C-alpha cells in the first residue's frame, strides 16, 4: 500500500506544523530534517558530532543540547543513525528517547538496521506506551536533498497513515510494507538484488572486454535486452554509456561501497536467522566486504568492477 496526499486514511489525520525531534543529522539526516522545516514543521535536532550540528543550524533546524531535550514535547521522534545499536541505545535508558517522550509519541526510525533490531525497537516503543514505524529509505544523499526518497515502512496501518504527511515532506514514494520490521525486510531484500546485480553487470563488462567487445556495444545490447537492470542503465560501472553514473567521476559515491557492504551484512544476518537459501546474496556480502575494507573504502559500489578486472587474468582472447 502506498501513501499519497489523497489517501483517505491519511487525510486530515495529522495536521502540518507539528514539533518533530530529529536525532542523527549526518549525510542523510541533515537534508531530510531541512525538508521538514521547508514543509512547515518545527524541527528540533540533535547529533553527537559538533560539525553536524553546525550544518543543521545553517539549514534552519533548531539545535537541541541533547537528544532528550529534542524529544521532550515532540509529536514525532525521527532517528537517522548509523546502525541498530545506535537506535536501540538512543531509545533506552533513564534519559533515553522513549523515557522522555510524551505518551503515545510516534517514533519513526529511518536508519537502515537489522530486521531483528527493528522488531526490538517496536517492542520497546510499545512497552513504553508509544507508537512506532520502521521506515528506512533508498535514494541516497541526492534523494534526501531533493525530497525524493523512497520510504519502506513497517508497522500499523493507522500509524502509517499518520506518518504519511511527515514522510511525504522528505520522500516521493511512501510504501507500507507490512507489520513491524517489514520496512527493513524490504530494504534488505532490495539491496541484496542491487548488490548481486552490480556484481553480475561488472563481471559481464569485464568478460566482454576480454572477448574484445566494446563497453558501448555490450551496453547498447544489454540495456535493451533481458540483461537490463538499474545497475546497468542508471549506475553503469564503466564510464561512457551513462554520463551521470559514478564511473564517469572516478567512482566518487553515489552509493558508497561501505554502505553496500553494511546492507549486505544485514542481509546475511537475515539469511542466517531465517534459513533462506541465498547463495549469491551471501557471496555478494563477502565480495563487498573485501571491497569496502580495501581499495573500495571511499568509492561508489560500482567501483567493484575495478576489483573484478584486477583479479582477472591478463590473458585476453585474441
Ligand atoms: P552518517 O554517518 O553521515 O550520519 C549518522 C549520524 O548519526 C552522524 O552524524 C553521527 O554523529 C550521528 N549519531 C550517531 N550516534 C548518535 C546518537 N546516539 N545521537 C545522536 N547522533 C548520533 O550516516 P548517513 O549516511 O546519514 O546514514 C544514516 C543511515 O541511513 C544509516 O543507517 C545508513 O545505512 C542509512 N542510509 C544511508 C544512505 C546514504 O546514501 N548515505 C542511503 C540509504 C540509507
Amino acid at each position: 500500500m502506498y501513501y499519497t496526499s489523497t489517501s483517505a486514511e491519511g487525510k486530515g489525520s495529522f495536521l502540518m506544523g507539528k514539533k518533530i525531534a530529529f536525532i542523527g543529522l549526518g549525510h542523510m539526516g541533515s537534508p531530510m530534517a531541512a525538508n521538514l522545516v521547508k514543509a512547515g514543521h518545527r524541527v528540533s535536532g540533535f547529533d553527537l558530532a559538533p560539525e553536524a550540528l553546525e550544518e543543521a543550524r545553517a539549514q534552519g533546524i533548531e539545535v537541541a543540547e541533547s537528544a532528550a531535550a529534542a524529544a521532550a514535547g515532540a509529536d514525532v521522534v525521527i532517528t537517522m543513525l548509523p546502525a541498530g545499536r545506535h537506535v536501540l541505545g538512543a531509545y533506552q535508558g533513564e534519559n533515553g528517547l522513549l523515557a522522555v517522550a510524551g505518551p503515545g509519541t510516534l517514533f519513526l526510525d529511518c536508519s537502515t538496521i537489522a530486521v531483528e533490531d527493528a522488531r526490538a525497537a517496536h517492542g520497546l516503543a510499545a512497552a513504553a506506551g508509544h507508537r512506532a514505524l520502521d521506515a528506512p529509505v533508498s535514494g541516497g544523499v541526492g534523494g534526501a536533498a531533493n525530497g525524493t526518497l523512497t520510504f519502506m515502512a513497517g508497522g500499523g496501518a493507522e500509524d502509517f497513515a499518520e506518518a504519511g504527511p511527515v514522510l511525504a515532506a522528505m520522500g516521493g514514494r511512501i510504501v507500507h510494507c507490512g507489520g513491524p520490521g517489514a520496512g527493513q525486510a524490504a530494504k534488505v531484500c532490495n539491496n541484496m538484488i542491487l548488490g548481486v546485480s552490480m556484481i553480475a553487470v561488472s563481471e559481464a563488462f569485464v568478460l566482454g572486454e576480454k572477448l574484445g567487445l566494446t563497453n558501448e556495444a555490450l551496453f547498447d545490447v544489454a540495456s535493451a535486452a533481458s540483461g537490463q537492470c538499474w545497475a546497468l542503465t542508471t549506475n553503469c560501472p564503466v564510464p561512457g554509456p551513462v554520463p551521470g553514473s559514478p564511473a564517469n567521476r572516478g567512482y566518487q559515491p553515489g552509493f558508497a561501497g561501505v554502505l553496500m557492504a553494511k546492507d549486505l551484512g544485514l542481509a546475511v544476518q537475515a539469511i542466517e536467522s531465517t534459513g533462506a537459501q541465498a547463495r549469491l546474496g551471501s557471496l555478494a556480502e563477502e565480495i563487498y566486504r573485501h571491497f569496502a575494507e580495501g581499495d573500495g573504502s571511499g568509492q561508489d559500489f560500482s567501483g567493484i568492477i575495478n576489483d573484478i578486472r584486477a583479479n582477472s587474468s591478463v590473458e585476453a582472447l585474441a
Side-chain angles (χ1 to χ4, degrees):
M1 185 172 74
Y2 300 102
Y3 171 82
T4 64
S5 54
T6 54
S7 291
E9 70 279 10
K11 247 183 173 174
S13 65
F14 193 91
L15 297 172
M16 302 304 279
K18 291 283 177 173
K19 185 183 172 205
I20 300 176
F22 206 113
I23 314 302
L25 299 164
H27 292 101
M28 297 292 288
S30 176
M32 288 166 71
N35 281 327
L36 290 170
V37 173
K38 282 184 208 147
H41 295 290
R42 189 176 149 213
V43 180
S44 180
F46 180 71
D47 194 291
L48 293 176
E51 60 274 16
L53 295 178
E54 215 160 289
E55 165 69 23
R57 227 181 249 116
Q59 305 262 7
I61 298 155
E62 279 174 35
V63 167
E65 60 186 28
S66 65
D75 302 297
V76 178
V77 176
I78 300 178
T79 38
M80 191 53 170
L81 299 169
R85 67 180 184 281
H86 302 99
V87 176
L88 294 172
Y91 272 22
Q92 295 178 90
E94 206 182 316
N95 263 327
L97 298 169
L98 298 174
V100 300
T105 300
L106 183 58
F107 278 76
L108 307 178
D109 178 39
C110 299
S111 328
T112 303
I113 68 174
V115 175
E116 286 171 6
D117 287 342
R119 289 184 179 150
H122 275 269
L124 289 167
H130 300 303
R131 296 163 303 134
L133 290 178
D134 50 298
V137 303
S138 84
V141 176
N146 298 329
T148 55
L149 293 169
T150 294
F151 283 90
M152 299 151 251
E158 277 182 23
D159 297 335
F160 176 73
E162 187 160 329
V166 171
L167 298 179
M170 301 181 282
R173 193 174 167 89
I174 324 290
V175 186
H176 188 206
C177 299
Q184 298 292 351
K187 168 85 184 173
V188 94
C189 292
N190 177 72
N191 280 21
M192 189 172 80
I193 297 173
L194 180 60
V196 169
S197 60
M198 180 55 82
I199 293 168
V201 167
S202 298
E203 288 181 352
F205 273 114
V206 171
L207 178 61
E209 288 165 9
K210 297 261 176 213
L211 293 171
L213 204 55
T214 65
N215 290 333
E216 287 72 19
L218 177 56
F219 180 85
D220 287 348
V221 171
S223 62
S226 44
Q228 192 279 329
C229 61
W230 190 93
L232 176 71
T233 55
T234 301
N235 216 81
C236 190
V238 294
V242 179
S245 81
N248 298 283
R249 48 173 202 270
Y251 297 92
Q252 289 299 304
F255 182 50
V258 286
L259 288 176
M260 176 53 84
K262 172 197 164 182
D263 291 357
L264 287 169
L266 297 177
V268 165
Q269 209 175 315
I271 291 164
E272 285 171 356
S273 67
T274 59
Q277 190 188 59
R279 285 149 68 190
L280 294 183
S282 301
L283 191 54
E285 187 275 334
E286 199 181 301
I287 290 169
Y288 269 108
R289 184 159 30 87
H290 287 133
F291 177 68
E293 286 166 0
D295 295 347
S297 66
Q299 288 184 26
D300 184 77
F301 81 120
S302 60
I304 195 72
I305 192 169
N306 297 318
D307 265 19
I308 293 168
R309 198 184 280 114
N311 290 329
S312 300
S313 83
V314 289
E315 292 299 317
L317 210 69

